[in-house]
Amino acid sequence: MKYLLIVFTFTCSIYLSPLVLAQTATLKGIVKDLNNEPIVGATVVLNGTTKGAKTKKDGSFEIQNIEPKSYYLVVKLIGYEEYREMISIKSGTEEVSIKLKESSVLLNSVEVTSSRRVQKQDDTRTSVITLDPKEAKFKAGAAEDVLRSLQSFPGVVAANDFSSQLIIRGSGPDQNLILLDNIEVFNPYRLYGFISMFNPETVSGITLLTGGFGAKYSDRLSAVLDVTNREGSRDKGYFSTKANISVTNANIVTEGKLPLWNGSWIVSGRRTYYDLIVGPVIKATGAVEGDIALPNFGDVQAKIALQPSSELKVLVNAIFSRDNTEFLSATNRPQADSFSIIDNSFNDLVGTTFIYTPFKDFVSTTSFSWYKNRGSNNFGGIGGSQFVTGERDISQEDLRNLQDSLRNAGVDVPTLFSINGRTNFSFQKWSMKNDQIWNLGANTLEFGVLTDWLTTGVGFAIDIDPRLRALQAANPRIPPLPESFDNNVSYLRLGSYVQNSFRATNDLTVTGGLRFDYFGLINKAYLSPRFSFSYAVDPISTIRGAWGIYYQSPGYEKLFDQQVFIDFTSPNLPNLRAERAMHYVLGYERLLSPEWQFKVEGYYKSFNDLILQEVLQGTVYNSERIPGTDSTKREGWTTPVASIGDSVTVTPINIATGEAYGIEFMLQKIQSIGENKLYGWVSYSFAIANRFRNNLVIPFNFDRRHTINVVGGWKVSEAFDVNFTWTFGTGFPWTRAKGIRPRIVQVTDTLTGQKEAKLDQDWRGLIFDVDRGGNENLNQARLPNYHRLDVRATTYANWFGQKWSFYLDIVNVYNNVNIISENYRVDRESLQLQTREVGMLPILPTLGFSVEM
């Protein structure tokens, strides 16, 4: 019986084996990311065969005619870690479900994940802030602006309600490196800085590094903002549209897939219409007179993504934008003062990026870009009625009546000051850069090179009233600007870096880097070492630290954020050095629960070789009050006496140092669990920032000692949610007036031709100015504390097969008067200073809606 069974089995195997070999199998599956979103265009192959497929728009794939046996299933897509798994395929149909994880190699330096995700424990970067683009769009009071949304994070301060600039850890906005799709941009602001160039409808990733950033980044002392625009959606076919419209602006986004190379496209267009709606309204109400066009801007942004193969991805970006303002005072205006301005500026960018992944652990990114920011301004007018007549907002009729009465009495007739001029600027940059990341097991090696060719320049011509010139000459704290200036400089900027991150132990990861920079404008080269580490105390607690040296070159493109003028003509450059900063950062974070994370971070920054306007020894004039006389008359004061004092120039010099240090706490709800639909964060920052020059300690202009931010939202239902932001900050430093002094002007003697100083007077008698003291009084006072509550309510609906959202955003809900400055004037009769506080935004509601088609 035993032998009969063997013979039967052998006979069956001979006759049935051809049938078995002839059978085939089919493999079906779906590929998604960790957020359960389908992934399009991933390559799926059975290793060692020619069998494979690409995933469709729903993430599905199918491979037919497979020989039943075991294979390694391999799934690849740029931006994700390679998936590899041994599977056993039998006859018939097999189904698999695959999840791809974002590549830590590709995204190590440009984090595009949501702020609700926890930073990996082996990520050594300190001071990382990531913001979900949806949070930027829906954050209360942020005007749907990326930069304004970041102003509520620890370590970040807003200059004022009207500015989207970022003040980070005691540094000026000129010291922040800003990147859009890996391309450096200058002056990324619209509407005179009120909002930024970043479109919240097209942004996919927002990362802010507030300190201790790695060797990849250069030519800035403070922080790095890295913004990535998303690719067009392929899910809705070749064309889809989304519109976002409010009472002040419109934002239209169109996108779709391309018929070749798994491609996609996206085009967005924005325009404000303050000039079209608000302007005519305020003219009709009589609020303004004359030909007026309120500030407006429009831009078009486009991005094309192509993937010719699984190893190569090509991205093409383009941005074209324009800001425009026209304000022409009418001749029949009621006010005595008038001012006219025609202002145009342009911000354009074109770039191409190649992302090449020849094998699993290597990514090479090469970018070519052109960027140009330019503008021109023509202005003119007459003014100073308050100084000439002592009355605020005097009318033309009252001024004429005053002039006629004085002329009839034989008294010098007061006339207004006049000024006319034009300004222009142009910053152009051609760039080529290459970054490479190589994952070598326990090591991640990064290296890259950068070549920039910059042509930057500024120009102006100003015709100033001779009386204003005389005032300027008598005030050494006002730099003597030339009547005209036009200068363009072209120079090379080179950079290279190498950085290695490795696991020293299972819990300790260390990153060391070295950067080389050459700044052609000053013909100097610098080496910048950088170091950071992360230590996993336990699976939910991490300690991170960083140290580094940073350099920033001088340049006209950086003066925009500084709001000063410095002459970078060649005779001033040979002895100029790049500004230098050193960062020390140490932080601790712990996941208190799956929902809540706590962070604390301390920092210290030292600044050296800061570039300021040179101060030379000059002549100043003083006059003392004579006791027992009428101090409102010239006889009540001594003849002006010359003395040695400081005279400010427009020559750049490395004259100042500084420091900034502080500690930041943040409690953040990083994700929603179950029915809990509350999200947001609470943060507190203590910070001190000072500048040192001429043995003086001068608080930094935006030295805010205490800042509290409470940001949150509540998803009330699927159709309604509420967001709120409350900010408290102690007052900024301010140079408060110390008293009054008689105005001293320099005039030319008509006989001798020599200049002499004298007390100035008009038909009313002696003229007095506000005395703000010397440099020892700079920023020694404080403005009042700042606090503001913003609320936004959004409701959602599905109408006519489209997705709609309607919102009401209210800035400064309880209408707190936050002070931006103090204005002073002298009461001519009492000789007392009068102070008028200037406020920021009052309560300001905005209505808007979005529709997705």
Side-chain angles (χ1 to χ4, degrees):
M1 185 68 181
K2 174 181 177 182
Y3 293 101
L4 288 175
L5 183 59
I6 295 174
V7 171
F8 177 78
T9 303
F10 178 75
T11 304
C12 289
S13 65
I14 292 175
Y15 284 94
L16 293 180
S17 59
L19 298 177
V20 173
L21 292 175
Q23 291 181 350
T24 60
T26 298
L27 178 65
K28 293 183 176 181
I30 188 166
V31 179
K32 297 183 177 181
D33 62 17
L34 297 182
N35 291 324
N36 213 35
E37 295 292 330
I39 294 177
V40 186
T43 302
V44 184
V45 296
L46 297 175
N47 200 36
T49 75
T50 59
K51 303 289 186 181
K54 282 197 173 184
T55 56
K56 301 177 182 178
K57 66 179 182 179
D58 61 353
S60 64
F61 69 90
E62 181 176 331
I63 304 175
Q64 299 178 343
N65 300 321
I66 305 171
E67 180 184 350
K69 65 176 183 178
S70 295
Y71 299 90
Y72 271 108
L73 179 65
V74 180
V75 183
K76 291 182 178 181
L77 182 65
I78 292 177
Y80 294 87
E81 293 183 1
E82 179 182 294
Y83 178 91
R84 182 181 291 262
E85 181 186 7
M86 175 68 75
I87 61 173
S88 179
I89 298 180
K90 301 177 182 178
S91 59
T93 300
E94 295 282 342
E95 294 188 0
V96 295
S97 180
I98 299 168
K99 291 288 184 72
L100 292 189
K101 185 179 181 182
E102 291 178 354
S103 172
S104 59
V105 174
L106 180 61
L107 302 181
N108 187 51
S109 55
V110 182
E111 182 70 50
V112 296
T113 57
S114 163
S115 63
R116 301 184 191 280
R117 297 188 185 179
V118 180
Q119 189 176 352
K120 295 178 181 179
Q121 288 191 298
D122 61 355
D123 185 349
T124 65
R125 295 176 303 162
T126 59
S127 312
V128 178
I129 294 174
T130 54
L131 181 68
D132 190 330
K134 291 182 179 179
E135 291 177 323
K137 176 176 172 57
F138 293 108
K139 183 177 178 295
E144 299 192 356
D145 183 72
V146 169
L147 296 186
R148 286 181 172 272
S149 300
L150 291 166
Q151 290 173 347
S152 297
F153 281 91
V156 184
V157 172
N160 54 63
D161 286 354
F162 308 108
S163 175
S164 61
Q165 292 179 322
L166 302 180
I167 312 298
I168 298 175
R169 290 183 174 177
S171 295
D174 63 298
Q175 296 173 343
N176 301 326
L177 174 64
I178 299 179
L179 303 170
L180 176 61
D181 282 328
N182 206 30
I183 300 171
E184 178 190 10
V185 295
F186 313 129
N187 187 27
Y189 312 108
R190 303 289 186 268
L191 297 178
Y192 297 99
F194 189 78
I195 59 175
S196 72
M197 68 185 294
F198 306 112
N199 189 339
E201 296 288 355
T202 61
V203 168
S204 64
I206 306 164
T207 301
L208 178 64
L209 307 175
T210 59
F213 45 91
K216 178 179 179 179
Y217 304 105
S218 72
D219 203 14
R220 290 302 189 277
L221 298 184
S222 176
V224 177
L225 174 62
D226 206 330
V227 179
T228 305
N229 273 342
R230 66 180 177 88
E231 300 172 15
S233 173
R234 303 175 180 88
D235 296 341
K236 296 183 179 180
Y238 293 103
F239 185 88
S240 64
T241 303
K242 183 176 184 180
N244 184 29
I245 299 174
S246 73
V247 297
T248 58
N249 65 86
N251 188 354
I252 311 296
V253 180
T254 59
E255 57 189 312
K257 66 179 181 180
L258 292 172
L260 74 163
W261 290 345
N262 194 32
S264 68
W265 64 276
I266 182 170
V267 177
S268 67
R270 293 187 293 172
R271 192 194 192 282
T272 62
Y273 32 81
Y274 299 93
D275 55 326
L276 301 179
I277 296 178
V278 183
V281 170
I282 62 177
K283 285 181 66 176
T285 60
V288 298
E289 295 286 341
D291 301 322
I292 175 175
L294 293 180
N296 66 86
F297 91 89
D299 71 1
V300 175
Q301 302 190 28
K303 186 171 186 175
I304 295 175
L306 301 170
Q307 190 165 347
S309 68
S310 60
E311 294 81 21
L312 178 64
K313 191 168 191 176
V314 182
L315 304 173
V316 181
N317 297 276
I319 298 175
F320 302 97
S321 68
R322 177 188 179 185
D323 281 60
N324 177 67
T325 299
E326 295 181 10
F327 185 98
L328 304 175
S329 297
T331 56
N332 60 346
R333 67 190 183 279
Q335 298 85 6
D337 293 345
S338 72
F339 192 72
S340 300
I341 181 171
I342 300 176
D343 190 330
N344 290 281
S345 62
F346 303 84
N347 222 321
D348 303 328
L349 178 153
V350 177
T352 303
T353 300
F354 300 88
I355 305 175
Y356 181 54
T357 311
F359 50 89
K360 172 187 173 184
D361 298 316
F362 182 82
V363 178
S364 176
T365 303
T366 303
S367 300
F368 302 91
S369 65
W370 168 83
Y371 175 73
K372 189 169 187 177
N373 178 210
R374 60 188 174 89
S376 63
N377 176 297
N378 290 277
F379 60 91
I382 56 174
S385 60
Q386 179 178 337
F387 299 100
V388 171
T389 67
E391 300 293 332
R392 182 180 292 129
D393 302 325
I394 189 171
S395 68
Q396 284 195 77
E397 182 180 359
D398 289 342
L399 177 61
R400 282 195 297 266
N401 292 336
L402 174 62
Q403 290 172 328
D404 290 341
S405 62
L406 293 174
R407 188 177 295 111
N408 293 333
V411 179
D412 289 339
V413 177
T415 58
L416 303 183
F417 300 112
S418 66
I419 182 171
N420 290 279
R422 58 90 183 163
T423 65
N424 62 274
F425 68 92
S426 178
F427 312 137
Q428 179 175 273
K429 176 170 64 69
W430 293 89
S431 293
M432 188 283 291
K433 64 189 302 186
N434 175 261
D435 299 295
Q436 303 191 30
I437 305 176
W438 197 354
N439 193 343
L440 302 173
N443 293 266
T444 299
L445 180 64
E446 300 180 58
F447 48 95
V449 295
L450 166 71
T451 301
D452 289 334
W453 180 254
L454 293 96
T455 301
T456 66
V458 296
F460 59 82
I462 305 176
D463 181 14
I464 302 178
D465 191 291
R467 292 169 297 167
L468 290 176
R469 287 280 183 196
L471 287 175
Q472 180 188 48
N475 191 341
R477 292 180 61 179
I478 301 177
L481 291 176
E483 292 185 1
S484 64
F485 179 88
D486 281 286
N487 180 247
N488 286 276
V489 291
S490 297
Y491 56 95
L492 195 63
R493 188 173 62 177
L494 303 174
S496 63
Y497 71 93
V498 61
Q499 178 173 287
N500 184 44
S501 180
F502 64 95
R503 286 249 185 172
T505 68
N506 288 335
D507 301 320
L508 178 63
T509 303
V510 177
T511 299
L514 182 65
R515 181 169 190 93
F516 167 83
D517 285 295
Y518 170 76
F519 302 133
L521 183 62
I522 56 176
N523 194 27
K524 290 181 175 64
Y526 297 91
L527 285 175
S528 308
R530 316 271 173 91
F531 170 82
S532 61
F533 75 90
S534 65
Y535 178 72
V537 180
D538 55 48
I540 58 173
S541 304
T542 309
I543 296 174
R544 291 186 176 87
W547 170 87
I549 295 176
Y550 305 86
Y551 291 97
Q552 178 166 318
S553 66
Y556 287 122
E557 75 280 2
K558 301 179 178 76
L559 296 184
F560 237 96
D561 286 319
Q562 293 179 351
Q563 296 297 301
V564 297
F565 174 72
I566 295 178
D567 183 2
F568 287 122
T569 54
S570 55
N572 305 329
L573 295 179
N575 297 321
L576 205 60
R577 300 181 299 277
E579 297 179 314
R580 181 178 184 267
M582 189 177 295
H583 292 200
Y584 301 85
V585 185
L586 183 63
Y588 170 80
E589 67 178 46
R590 181 175 177 83
L591 198 62
L592 303 178
S593 74
E595 294 182 278
W596 292 92
Q597 184 182 51
F598 172 76
K599 292 184 179 181
V600 58
E601 192 165 81
Y603 66 91
Y604 177 83
K605 294 198 296 188
S606 63
F607 302 96
N608 291 283
D609 291 330
L610 296 179
I611 298 173
L612 297 176
Q613 296 162 319
E614 185 178 15
V615 178
L616 300 177
Q617 191 177 82
T619 301
V620 297
Y621 295 91
N622 296 288
S623 180
E624 301 294 333
R625 184 177 295 184
I626 300 175
T629 60
D630 186 353
S631 57
T632 63
K633 306 295 183 181
R634 177 179 288 185
E635 294 76 18
W637 297 81
T638 63
T639 301
V641 176
S643 62
I644 297 175
D646 293 337
S647 179
V648 180
T649 72
V650 294
T651 302
I653 186 172
N654 301 101
I655 194 175
T657 61
E659 65 179 6
Y661 55 92
I663 187 168
E664 302 162 358
F665 301 88
M666 184 174 185
L667 179 64
Q668 182 180 22
K669 191 172 190 298
I670 58 176
Q671 59 185 3
S672 294
I673 301 282
E675 298 300 319
N676 191 344
K677 298 179 180 180
L678 180 69
Y679 54 92
W681 65 86
V682 179
S683 69
Y684 165 74
S685 300
F686 170 76
I688 294 177
N690 291 314
R691 299 294 185 263
F692 312 117
R693 69 173 186 264
N694 299 329
N695 298 318
L696 295 174
V697 178
I698 302 173
F700 177 57
N701 290 341
F702 305 103
D703 172 38
R704 174 162 282 170
R705 297 295 171 87
H706 303 278
T707 306
I708 300 173
N709 291 300
V710 182
V711 180
W714 180 33
K715 188 74 173 176
V716 180
S717 67
E718 291 301 317
F720 184 70
D721 63 44
V722 178
N723 303 78
F724 63 90
T725 300
W726 183 75
T727 298
F728 170 86
T730 51
F732 286 143
W734 183 250
T735 304
R736 189 153 289 149
K738 299 182 67 175
I740 67 171
R741 62 183 179 184
R743 179 181 297 172
I744 301 174
V745 295
Q746 287 188 13
V747 296
T748 302
D749 189 286
T750 56
L751 296 177
T752 64
Q754 298 295 316
K755 288 187 176 181
E756 62 177 356
K758 72 171 188 176
L759 298 179
D760 197 13
Q761 63 179 6
D762 61 12
W763 58 277
R764 297 167 298 170
L766 202 59
I767 300 176
F768 291 90
D769 286 333
V770 176
D771 182 7
R772 293 180 178 267
N775 289 332
E776 71 282 353
N777 192 45
L778 285 176
N779 288 350
Q780 297 304 310
R782 293 272 169 174
L783 293 172
N785 294 339
Y786 176 102
H787 54 93
R788 193 181 95 184
L789 173 66
D790 305 326
V791 175
R792 175 173 174 142
T794 308
T795 184
Y796 306 90
N798 286 307
W799 293 346
F800 314 110
Q802 316 297 337
K803 295 181 180 179
W804 297 75
S805 66
F806 300 86
Y807 68 86
L808 171 63
D809 194 318
I810 304 177
V811 173
N812 198 1
V813 172
Y814 52 80
N815 201 26
N816 184 51
V817 179
N818 292 302
I819 306 304
I820 190 175
S821 64
E822 292 179 352
N823 287 346
Y824 308 104
R825 66 181 295 268
V826 180
D827 184 278
R828 295 293 295 262
E829 295 183 0
S830 65
L831 295 187
Q832 297 295 315
L833 272 180
Q834 295 181 341
T835 302
R836 182 170 66 92
E837 294 180 331
V838 180
M840 290 186 258
L841 287 178
I843 183 171
L844 185 64
T846 301
L847 286 168
F849 71 91
S850 297
V851 57
E852 188 173 343
M853 296 174 281

